Amino acid sequence: MKLWTLPLVITLLHSPVCLSVTVSSSKPQVEVHEHTDAVLTCEFRTEKDQNPRIEWKKKGKGVTFVYFNHKFTGPYAERAKIEGATLTIHLVTQKDSGEYRCEVTASEDHVSLGEATVTLNVLVPPHVPSCEVPSSIFVGSGLELLCKDKLSVPPATYRWYKDNKVLMATTDTPYSIDTNKGTLKINSVSKMDTGMYRCESSNSVGAPKSCVAQQLKVMDYPLNMTVVIAGAAGLLALVLFCCICMCVCRHRGCRNEGNHTKSTKSYNPPPPPLPPTRNLKHYKQAQSFMI
């Protein structure tokens, strides 16, 4: 029995294993600078099919074809090539960033479909940021300067300059800076805040970019404006005082009227006395006696 089973085991060990199509990528994460070439690797192995169908798709809001039926589609027709199953995109831009899928279909294999995913991230250096600096502001007002670079990847960080000197916010400075949002805030401006302001955006991809410096002028309130504000404040105080006086007077008047009504209802004067009654019979007898 043992001699019979030994050839069977040897035969099974040497028999071909049933393999399906396998697809993989040696570099599933790709980062390249803008306007360079991106190589998205895809390797496959089939069981029997020597001429499998290869497709590339990009995932976004939907799924779009990049390479289908042995040709490139849409914006990739003029600037992409394929070698084996590896895809190369020339002169990539930020729009090319996203998730790509390599699909290999081997119809003669036991499992006919295999796929691998490659994520492309296109790095973009800083662009000239947009800066919002008012031309003038009154003393004592609050101020917020804005700076934004919407195109850089990874997102830019920001620095503010006044008269070409970098502003460094600390707990002792009268202003605060958010280096991630690009804001410069001053709670109460003074004459010393007058100057030329500009913002600089930077990231790890390229050289920093700066907007054109803009003049900020801090002004005193004009005399007529001061008079108007003081008059308005005085009028408001007078109106408030009159309202308080009217409320107090109404409150006291209601109390007095209420007390008067209460005392009138509780006091009942006695009725007037009746005239004395005479005995008519006795009166007649007296009169008769006198006659």
Side-chain angles (χ1 to χ4, degrees), residues 3-287:
L3 294 176
W4 179 80
T5 57
L6 184 59
L8 179 61
V9 172
I10 295 174
T11 303
L12 290 174
L13 290 174
H14 286 82
S15 63
V17 180
C18 183
L19 297 175
S20 61
V21 58
T22 58
V23 183
S24 63
S25 175
S26 59
K27 196 174 183 181
Q29 299 287 335
V30 178
E31 280 192 347
V32 295
H33 288 202
E34 189 179 33
H35 306 308
T36 61
D37 294 349
V39 179
L40 312 184
T41 60
C42 180
E43 299 93 7
F44 66 92
R45 184 175 60 185
T46 60
E47 177 187 356
K48 294 180 181 179
D49 200 331
Q50 300 300 314
N51 190 26
R53 187 179 71 200
I54 299 170
E55 295 177 358
W56 275 93
K57 300 175 183 178
K58 183 183 179 184
K59 296 173 64 177
K61 293 182 179 179
V63 177
T64 57
F65 280 101
V66 176
Y67 182 78
F68 175 73
N69 198 21
H70 303 287
K71 62 182 180 179
F72 291 99
T73 62
Y76 304 95
E78 299 290 331
R79 58 187 187 95
K81 68 177 182 179
I82 194 163
E83 296 177 348
T86 295
L87 172 67
T88 301
I89 306 174
H90 303 294
L91 301 175
V92 293
T93 65
Q94 180 58 33
K95 292 182 179 180
D96 295 319
S97 293
E99 187 175 294
Y100 292 79
R101 189 169 65 219
C102 173
E103 295 182 359
V104 178
T105 303
S107 57
E108 298 178 9
D109 286 15
H110 179 68
V111 177
S112 60
L113 177 64
E115 61 182 41
T117 300
V118 181
T119 301
L120 173 63
N121 187 27
V122 179
L123 305 177
V124 181
H127 285 64
V128 175
S130 61
C131 302
E132 296 183 16
V133 179
S135 59
S136 62
I137 193 171
F138 289 119
V139 171
S141 302
L143 175 66
E144 182 177 17
L145 307 184
L146 304 177
C147 179
K148 195 66 177 176
D149 175 7
K150 298 180 179 180
L151 301 176
S152 61
V153 180
T157 56
Y158 304 93
R159 302 177 79 178
W160 277 97
Y161 291 80
K162 178 193 172 188
D163 298 328
N164 286 326
K165 293 181 180 179
V166 65
L167 296 174
M168 302 296 292
T170 64
T171 54
D172 298 327
T173 55
Y175 55 84
S176 61
I177 297 176
D178 190 324
T179 57
N180 294 319
K181 294 182 179 180
T183 57
L184 167 60
K185 294 182 179 180
I186 304 176
N187 293 329
S188 179
V189 296
S190 65
K191 286 280 192 172
M192 296 181 64
D193 295 317
T194 296
M196 299 291 291
Y197 288 82
R198 66 180 177 89
C199 171
E200 181 182 83
S201 64
S202 61
N203 67 7
S204 59
V205 181
K209 297 291 184 179
S210 176
C211 64
V212 177
Q214 302 178 46
Q215 174 72 34
L216 172 67
K217 186 177 181 180
V218 181
M219 304 182 300
D220 291 319
Y221 279 102
L223 180 60
N224 56 349
M225 181 65 71
T226 306
V227 172
V228 170
I229 294 175
L235 180 61
L236 181 61
L238 179 61
V239 171
L240 182 61
F241 177 74
C242 292
C243 292
I244 293 174
C245 290
M246 290 178 64
C247 292
V248 172
C249 291
R250 285 186 178 183
H251 181 68
R252 290 182 177 178
C254 292
R255 286 188 61 184
N256 293 336
E257 184 180 353
N259 293 335
H260 178 70
T261 304
K262 183 177 181 181
S263 62
T264 302
K265 290 183 179 180
S266 62
Y267 175 71
N268 295 319
L274 297 174
T277 59
R278 295 180 179 182
N279 191 334
L280 187 60
K281 185 177 180 181
H282 176 70
Y283 173 73
K284 287 182 179 181
Q285 289 179 355
Q287 189 179 28

